[in-house]
Amino acid sequence: MSRNDPMSRAAFSARVFSLYVMAVGAALVLVPNLLLGLFGIAPTGEIWIRVAGLIAFNLGIYVWVAAHHRPFLQASVYTRSLVFVVLTGFAVTGMGEPMLALFGVLDLAGAIWTLLALRADAQAAATGAAVGVAR
């Protein structure tokens, strides 16, 4: 996809997700206890929350850049669904705060959005190819 091509639905969903991940990452680096407090999670002085925030922020940048690559988008559907399963598991077993499940739900919602967008993009491409429309 060149810079002049319109953004696919799936790429748009990934870009929105990347902004969410960068925002959460930046908050965890700069003001982790503010973000944790908003979700009822106990404050921490541990450096690891800031390290996790840095990793999340960087991941958001990677998602932004990779948003036009279909194999990446397909893989992200599975990995974001896995985040839902694992974070919900942490909450259910008491290993983590129940609010962790909310972050998992947000990831699952994004994964479903991207999956549906990938299908819509494929359908649009097939319909366009079938009627001879150039993309």
Side-chain angles (χ1 to χ4, degrees):
M1 176 175 286
S2 75
R3 289 200 170 267
N4 295 329
D5 290 337
M7 186 179 307
S8 72
R9 293 172 185 90
F12 179 73
S13 76
R15 289 271 171 98
V16 170
F17 176 69
S18 77
L19 293 173
Y20 159 72
V21 173
M22 285 188 278
V24 168
L28 289 175
V29 169
L30 300 172
V31 287
N33 290 324
L34 175 66
L35 182 63
L36 295 175
L38 290 173
F39 292 96
I41 299 172
T44 183
E46 293 286 330
I47 190 66
W48 296 109
I49 195 73
R50 294 175 191 266
V51 172
L54 178 61
I55 292 167
F57 184 82
N58 287 345
L59 178 63
I61 293 170
Y62 297 147
V63 172
W64 182 272
V65 172
H68 291 286
H69 300 282
R70 187 172 179 84
F72 166 79
L73 294 169
Q74 291 167 323
S76 81
V77 169
Y78 297 112
T79 57
R80 289 187 284 164
S81 298
L82 178 63
V83 168
F84 166 74
V85 171
V86 172
L87 292 184
T88 300
F90 288 162
V92 168
T93 61
M95 292 175 62
E97 301 284 338
M99 287 304 291
L100 276 178
L102 177 62
F103 286 100
V105 168
L106 292 173
D107 273 72
L108 181 62
I112 292 169
W113 179 18
T114 299
L115 175 64
L116 296 174
L118 282 164
R119 289 179 179 170
D121 290 342
Q123 180 65 33
T127 303
V131 294
V133 175
R135 271 188 61 98

